Amino acid sequence: MRKNSIKNTRVNSEVQRELANIIRGEIKDPRIHPLTSVVAAEVAPDLKTCKVYVSVLGDEEAQTQTLEGLRSAVGYIRRQLAKNLNLRNTPEIRFIMDQSIEYGVRMSKLIDDNRVE
């Protein structure tokens, strides 16, 4: 894994914050679950591509529906990102499901259950 520059780290955090705002407030697709959060955004140094890790608090069906909804709205999301951020290039966005929060909650529940017994 390569080290990110300060500029790249700032761009990643700005893109993550803007994408969270766009997904939470501007997209009206009913497939997108209300408890969807943007965990991380990794923008390539040339600003051409961006991997967006999203987490959905829900069952497997809600996760697949949310991913489908986000992928169908990627043009609108990219346009809004270009309008809100002043970047040389607006990156092409790929959404990836992140299971880490769900995994952490499940492990915490297992530890609590073992502690009680």
Side-chain angles (χ1 to χ4, degrees), residues 90-109:
T90 303
E92 180 181 326
I93 302 170
R94 287 188 333 190
F95 289 103
I96 301 168
M97 190 57 65
D98 186 28
Q99 306 286 343
S100 63
I101 295 175
E102 182 181 335
Y103 178 76
V105 168
R106 192 172 70 235
M107 283 296 148
S108 178
K109 184 178 181 306

Side-chain angles (χ1 to χ4, degrees), residues 11-80:
V11 169
N12 288 344
S13 65
E14 284 294 316
V15 168
Q16 178 184 353
R17 186 172 54 82
E18 283 300 323
L19 285 174
N21 289 336
I22 292 168
I23 290 171
R24 181 179 54 241
E26 298 179 21
I27 297 180
K28 304 295 187 224
D29 194 338
R31 293 178 289 183
I32 298 175
H33 196 271
L35 295 176
T36 302
S37 60
V38 178
V39 177
E42 293 179 2
V43 180
D46 62 353
L47 301 177
K48 298 286 185 189
T49 61
C50 176
K51 293 180 188 175
V52 180
Y53 297 95
V54 293
S55 177
V56 178
L57 195 61
D59 59 347
E60 191 72 29
E61 180 66 25
Q63 292 177 356
T64 57
Q65 288 292 322
T66 299
L67 215 50
E68 285 179 19
L70 288 173
R71 287 182 178 151
S72 71
V74 74
Y76 174 78
I77 293 170
R78 189 174 180 197
R79 188 169 51 248
Q80 290 301 108

